[in-house]
Amino acid sequence: METNLSATLNGSALAAPPNTTGRCFEWFAENGLSENVTFGTVVKICGNSSGWGPFAFPGREVLTIFSSFLCVLLNGLVVFGVAKLQQNKPLYYLIANLAVTDIMTNIVGNVMLELTETVTYRMFIVFIVTVLHFPVILSLTGLVLLSVDRYVSVQHPIFYHGTVGSGHVLVAVAGAWVSAALLCFSPMMGWNCKGTNTSNDRCFLGAVEGSFIVFMTVLCAAGVVVVVFTNARVFVTLRRRLNIAANGNHQQHVGCVHMNQQHIISAQKKARSVLVIIVVFLIAWLLFLWWQVTVLVSIYNSWESLVSIGINLQFRFVFLVVLWLSPIVNPLVYAFRLPALRRVVWNSLRNGAVRLWRRLVPPQQVHPAAIQMPAVDV
């Protein structure tokens, strides 16, 4: 690839790439060379070093292996626990769906790290926008479904327990997967700069049209608003019920059921869990929206100003949090807070460890003839 690049530059009237990093990336996208060189080659040329780039930092391989192991282990235990419980509750189906999407998010992130020297520069940019968006949007829709499920179960418990079933949740999950696939992979089906004949100044590095980035940013922002609003309403409702129970006038309050001590403790735990969910969710997804807005600025401005303020470090940080850290934190925040799921996973691990120990260190068999009987005086 690098030899072909040198021959192409020498045999054409194109000037050498600019010395500045941002303009260099734009130069490769605008001069028709993005189909001839790999992303890794462009990074080496524009970054003036093989160590430049969002994926090149010390200890990346160790971090990748460790985070992938934790992600697959924790989310695999969640899926195993849901299957072991065999409960047809909508909540458990949504928890399992989130665990599967978190595993896929981590795998996709790791695969992207290996494609920098394999695919062309333009195709890698398309992959960043489409392939990375797919598990991220799936994870967001999974969180939206979980939040709506929690909202309806708390705000309208009679309707929820009498109407919402596992079939409704399976249809919603299937619809989320199909919709996310159609939306995220639409640039590969024609919604790109070549398919729409869009000028380079309205494209993300000559690959993806700006309107697609705008649409995905608005969609992600809407999902964030839904998750925060529903969980905030649930938190306020639980706190109001706890205050009514503490004041001792809950029986006079219209529409409020009697709360014994067990209900009060359960509501307190739910309120704390919801508050933790809101904080963790905002940390991860505001970072992702920050990156989306940065990409929009790069489309309608210039990459040079963004490189000067550290877009390389920004993308690295967002990549680590959204694709590696969030899939590890999600099962701890959403799944293992459920006592039934936590109990079945712990019991299964303990029983499995006992069986393994008995296989490795089998109990010694004592022959009956070796047993010494005590003497009996007659």
Side-chain angles (χ1 to χ4, degrees):
M1 284 284 187
E2 294 184 28
T3 304
N4 295 338
L5 174 62
S6 300
T8 302
L9 290 176
N10 293 332
S12 65
L14 295 176
N19 294 328
T20 56
T21 302
R23 283 298 307 154
C24 182
F25 277 112
E26 294 176 342
W27 183 88
F28 274 97
E30 295 170 358
N31 286 283
L33 296 175
S34 59
E35 300 282 0
N36 302 325
V37 292
T38 65
F39 178 79
T41 301
V42 175
V43 167
K44 291 176 184 178
I45 295 173
C46 296
N48 299 319
S49 117
S50 59
W52 192 94
F55 310 121
F57 54 90
R60 195 261 296 172
E61 291 80 6
V62 176
L63 179 62
T64 301
I65 295 173
F66 179 72
S67 64
S68 299
F69 172 77
L70 274 182
C71 173
V72 174
L73 175 64
L74 293 175
N75 289 285
L77 288 175
V78 171
V79 177
F80 169 79
V82 172
K84 189 80 172 177
L85 274 174
Q86 296 181 349
Q87 294 191 14
N88 293 325
K89 292 183 178 180
L91 175 62
Y92 290 105
Y93 285 103
L94 296 175
I95 290 291
N97 172 66
L98 182 62
V100 171
T101 58
D102 283 338
I103 293 175
M104 188 174 65
T105 300
N106 185 268
I107 293 175
V108 168
N110 292 332
V111 170
M112 289 294 297
L113 295 177
E114 305 301 325
L115 294 179
T116 56
E117 301 292 345
T118 306
V119 300
T120 62
Y121 173 58
R122 180 182 179 277
M123 185 55 64
F124 191 84
I125 298 300
V126 173
F127 281 168
I128 286 180
V129 177
T130 58
V131 178
L132 282 183
H133 259 121
F134 180 57
V136 170
I137 294 298
L138 270 182
S139 180
L140 180 59
T141 55
L143 295 174
V144 168
L145 292 176
L146 268 172
S147 301
V148 173
D149 177 83
R150 185 182 301 110
Y151 174 81
V152 177
S153 66
V154 172
Q155 297 292 118
H156 311 283
I158 297 177
F159 169 80
Y160 177 80
H161 294 289
T163 305
V164 180
S166 57
H168 300 90
V169 172
L170 292 177
V171 171
V173 169
W177 278 71
V178 173
S179 301
L182 292 176
L183 288 174
C184 295
F185 293 108
S186 57
M188 296 183 178
M189 297 181 284
W191 195 358
N192 52 52
C193 296
K194 284 189 175 181
T196 57
N197 294 323
T198 305
S199 59
N200 289 327
D201 58 349
R202 290 294 179 267
C203 291
F204 176 54
L205 293 180
V208 180
E209 192 182 7
S211 60
F212 175 80
I213 306 295
V214 172
F215 179 78
M216 298 304 290
T217 303
V218 173
L219 185 65
C220 291
V224 170
V225 170
V226 170
V227 173
V228 174
F229 172 78
T230 52
N231 283 284
R233 288 280 300 183
V234 169
F235 178 78
V236 171
T237 300
L238 292 174
R239 294 304 306 175
R240 184 172 64 246
R241 292 177 182 176
L242 288 171
N243 291 334
I244 293 171
N247 294 332
N249 60 348
H250 54 278
Q251 291 181 338
Q252 290 111 11
H253 190 75
V254 179
C256 198
V257 296
H258 177 73
M259 294 180 69
N260 55 30
Q261 189 63 28
Q262 184 178 1
H263 290 156
I264 292 176
I265 295 175
S266 177
Q268 289 174 341
K269 291 181 178 179
K270 286 183 180 179
R272 286 195 296 266
S273 298
V274 171
L275 187 59
V276 171
I277 287 172
I278 294 175
V279 173
V280 172
F281 177 84
L282 284 176
I283 291 175
W285 288 96
L286 288 181
L287 283 174
F288 184 75
L289 288 177
W290 175 41
W291 166 252
Q292 293 283 100
V293 173
T294 302
V295 172
L296 287 176
V297 172
S298 73
I299 294 175
Y300 298 103
N301 195 353
S302 172
W303 265 71
E304 190 55 46
S305 59
L306 297 177
V307 170
S308 64
I309 63 175
I311 191 174
N312 181 39
L313 295 176
Q314 180 190 0
F315 181 64
R316 180 186 301 174
F317 186 59
V318 174
F319 189 87
L320 290 174
V321 172
V322 176
L323 296 181
W324 281 348
L325 186 59
S326 291
I328 297 174
V329 174
N330 282 342
L332 302 176
V333 174
Y334 294 95
F336 291 122
R337 69 177 181 84
L338 303 175
L341 184 61
R342 188 169 61 244
R343 185 167 52 251
V344 72
V345 171
W346 170 249
N347 291 338
S348 299
L349 290 176
R350 184 181 58 187
N351 295 337
V354 170
R355 293 193 190 99
L356 180 62
W357 176 258
R358 288 177 179 175
R359 282 186 174 274
L360 296 177
V361 187
Q364 296 181 356
Q365 300 292 335
V366 180
H367 196 274
I371 302 177
Q372 296 182 357
M373 301 297 295
V376 179
D377 297 332
V378 180

